[in-house]
Amino acid sequence: MITLKSQREIEGMAKSGAILAGVHKGLQKIIKPGLSTWEIEKFARQYIESHDAIPSQIGFDGYKYATCVCVNDEVAHAIPRRDLILKDGDIVKVDMCVDWHGYQSDSCWSYAVGNVSDDIKKLMEVTHKALYLGIDQAVVGNRIGDIGAAIQHYVEDEHHYGDVRDLIGHGIQPSIHESPNVPHYGEAGHGLRLKAGMTITIEPMVNMGTWRIKTKEVPGDDWEYYVTADGKPSCQFEHTLAITEDGPKILTSQDPEFDAKYLL
């Protein structure tokens, strides 16, 4: 069921989103070669809990951690690991959800570890721009397909990367996964019509090679995650946003100057 959120609810989600954004800004300062992905988990959980909030992913579908941390060809849902040490040239994606007094937010960000190749830099730039092209389509009267079509055209037609199909954005609030589904591919003018008060995530996952992905098991842990089918790197950026009469409003902004036109 899709619920339209009040201004009060959207403002509460923005407070949750500010905490989540604070984690990402902190990670920008500590992610470097030699850091384990478990240290990312520890930092995120401590930051969230010290700001009177809860890591929403813990317990969701049996998940045990505050973050999903994916490195290089890992696309989504990988767990933080003590023995996975970041090295120069890696790309690491950190996805997490925050519950602040019942208000949810969800955001993933990608980080270059040390000195990355020009190919990784370009992949990150394209994925970041794809996120904002999708956000620009999240306006009252448009349809879900308009978001996906804008992302897919830019990613696949213009840059010949793989636009992941199997994992998509979603509605959010009161839980972290609500209706509607928000694919990052599709046909303009098709799908559910967008209304003021909807709160959704847009979270393109872009692969350097094929869009196809496959599952992989975590040794010693009853959990599966996703990797690219061809072993090439993947990138993701995600924001939570509200659809309003004044346009899309990002609730997980890390950079108020960059996001000025999208803020409440």
Side-chain angles (χ1 to χ4, degrees), residues 217-251:
E217 292 185 354
V218 178
D221 193 294
D222 185 23
W223 189 256
E224 290 186 338
Y225 61 101
Y226 296 93
V227 298
T228 59
D230 57 8
K232 293 184 178 180
S234 182
C235 184
Q236 182 185 6
F237 288 100
E238 172 190 13
H239 275 312
T240 295
L241 60 140
I243 297 167
T244 79
E245 295 291 355
D246 296 322
K249 301 300 180 184
I250 294 172
L251 306 180

Side-chain angles (χ1 to χ4, degrees), residues 2 8 15 31-32 40 68 77 80 88 104 125 140 162 182-183 197 251 259:
I2 300 170
R8 176 184 60 80
K15 291 179 180 178
I31 286 179
K32 61 182 179 181
I40 291 173
C68 294
H77 300 173
D88 195 62
Q104 303 289 345
E125 289 168 359
V140 173
V182 185
L251 306 180
D259 290 331

Side-chain angles (χ1 to χ4, degrees), residues 24-217:
H24 281 303
K25 287 188 283 188
L27 290 175
Q28 291 173 15
K29 299 174 182 178
I30 70 168
I31 286 179
K32 61 182 179 181
L35 188 76
S36 76
T37 61
W38 186 252
E39 292 299 317
I40 291 173
E41 165 75 8
K42 285 173 59 180
F43 175 87
R45 184 163 183 171
Q46 181 180 35
Y47 187 100
I48 292 167
E49 292 177 346
S50 70
H51 285 75
D52 192 28
I54 299 168
S56 306
Q57 290 185 149
I58 296 176
F60 185 81
D61 285 346
Y63 196 66
K64 303 173 186 176
Y65 309 99
T67 61
C68 294
V69 186
C70 298
V71 180
N72 297 334
D73 67 327
E74 297 172 347
V75 179
H77 300 173
I79 68 170
R81 286 149 283 178
R82 290 175 173 82
D83 60 351
L84 180 54
I85 309 300
L86 300 178
K87 63 183 185 299
D88 195 62
D90 284 344
I91 177 174
V92 58
K93 291 81 68 174
V94 183
D95 189 5
M96 73 196 88
C97 302
V98 168
D99 177 338
W100 178 80
H101 295 239
Y103 296 107
Q104 303 289 345
S105 59
D106 184 1
S107 177
C108 179
W109 219 249
S110 291
Y111 301 90
V113 181
N115 299 302
V116 299
S117 67
D118 289 342
D119 286 343
I120 291 291
K121 289 178 183 177
K122 181 182 176 184
L123 178 67
M124 293 178 71
E125 289 168 359
V126 169
T127 309
H128 187 262
K129 184 171 180 180
L131 167 65
Y132 281 85
L133 289 173
I135 290 172
D136 284 339
Q137 294 298 316
V139 298
V140 173
N142 270 7
R143 294 184 179 273
I144 291 286
D146 295 317
I147 297 172
I151 292 171
Q152 185 177 19
H153 173 71
Y154 180 69
V155 167
E156 295 192 337
D157 298 338
E158 293 191 31
H159 291 282
H160 310 293
Y161 288 141
D163 182 15
V164 173
R165 311 282 202 276
D166 303 272
L167 303 167
I168 57 178
H170 50 85
I172 181 170
Q173 189 64 28
S175 76
I176 58 176
H177 277 194
E178 297 281 345
S179 296
N181 290 333
V182 185
H184 307 111
Y185 59 92
E187 188 173 349
H190 287 250
L192 181 77
R193 193 174 296 279
L194 302 173
K195 297 181 179 180
M198 288 181 177
T199 48
I200 63 173
T201 71
I202 297 178
E203 47 184 296
M205 283 154 266
V206 178
N207 299 342
M208 194 175 286
T210 178
W211 61 266
R212 298 184 185 278
I213 62 176
K214 60 184 181 181
T215 59
K216 189 173 181 178
E217 292 185 354

